[in-house]
Amino acid sequence: MRAAILEKLYNWSVVPYQYFKKNEAWQFNAEELKKYPSDSLGYHMGKFLVANSFQLQEKLESHDVFHVLTGTGITVPEEISMQFYLMGNGKRSLYLFTVICIGSMLYPEYWRQFLSKYNCGKSALPFHQLDFQKLLNQPIQRIKSTFLIS
């Protein structure tokens, strides 16, 4: 039931959120991303999308990059924990704060995990604002080590 509530809220919010995003949509799909070198961010993005039967969502591509770079899964508590990680990393948005507030209320038993992810994000160098499309050719391990992403 808790997951259904958050999924419904997400479905209601995704189109308005996309509308207000200023970045350009990427012109790739998952299979095209998998053609990047096997050690690259692009390849790992494609692999993540295919493994989860996802396609890139217009103007929301960085969300999937965050999953790939932080190694965060796609369950609802993991999605919430990733928002805590991003808050620790310095990201600020109405969407992030909404997910954190509602997620904390609906999943109080994950509070330790959320706090741990917040601290991981705080320990990493700020990367949430990068133009990841320009980094698709870069080795994923280089990105993670440069920004201390764990």
Side-chain angles (χ1 to χ4, degrees):
M1 179 67 165
R2 299 181 293 182
I5 291 169
L6 283 175
E7 285 183 45
K8 191 62 133 174
L9 289 171
Y10 171 78
N11 290 334
W12 286 340
S13 68
V14 70
V15 173
Y17 188 64
Q18 284 172 308
Y19 177 77
F20 288 107
K21 296 284 281 184
K22 293 175 177 61
N23 57 302
E24 293 292 319
W26 295 8
Q27 301 302 311
F28 300 102
N29 63 40
E31 290 302 325
E32 290 169 325
L33 288 168
K34 283 185 64 179
K35 293 177 184 174
Y36 277 84
S38 63
D39 67 340
S40 70
L41 175 61
Y43 174 81
H44 285 272
M45 281 285 298
K47 194 170 141 186
F48 169 81
L49 294 167
V50 169
N52 292 292
S53 300
F54 292 161
Q55 283 295 329
L56 289 172
Q57 289 187 297
E58 187 175 309
K59 296 187 175 186
L60 303 177
E61 297 87 352
S62 61
H63 181 85
D64 293 321
V65 172
F66 299 143
H67 277 284
V68 171
L69 290 177
T70 65
T72 305
I74 61 168
T75 67
V76 171
E78 290 169 322
E79 290 280 354
I80 297 164
S81 71
M82 189 172 75
Q83 296 303 317
F84 272 90
Y85 188 110
L86 294 171
M87 184 172 69
N89 195 246
K91 184 171 188 198
R92 302 291 184 262
S93 73
L94 179 59
Y95 184 81
L96 177 140
F97 290 124
T98 302
V99 170
I100 284 174
C101 289
I102 295 172
S104 295
M105 288 187 291
L106 293 177
Y107 290 89
E109 70 273 23
Y110 286 91
W111 181 246
R112 283 195 177 123
Q113 178 182 332
F114 298 157
L115 186 58
S116 174
K117 284 293 192 171
Y118 172 83
N119 287 326
C120 288
K122 201 161 182 60
S123 296
L125 297 174
F127 66 92
H128 63 88
Q129 77 295 354
L130 296 174
D131 183 350
F132 294 108
Q133 188 172 0
K134 293 179 180 174
L135 299 174
L136 292 174
N137 276 315
Q138 293 298 311
I140 191 169
Q141 288 306 322
R142 181 183 302 153
I143 298 167
K144 290 174 82 166
S145 65
T146 299
F147 291 93
L148 308 174
I149 300 168
S150 59

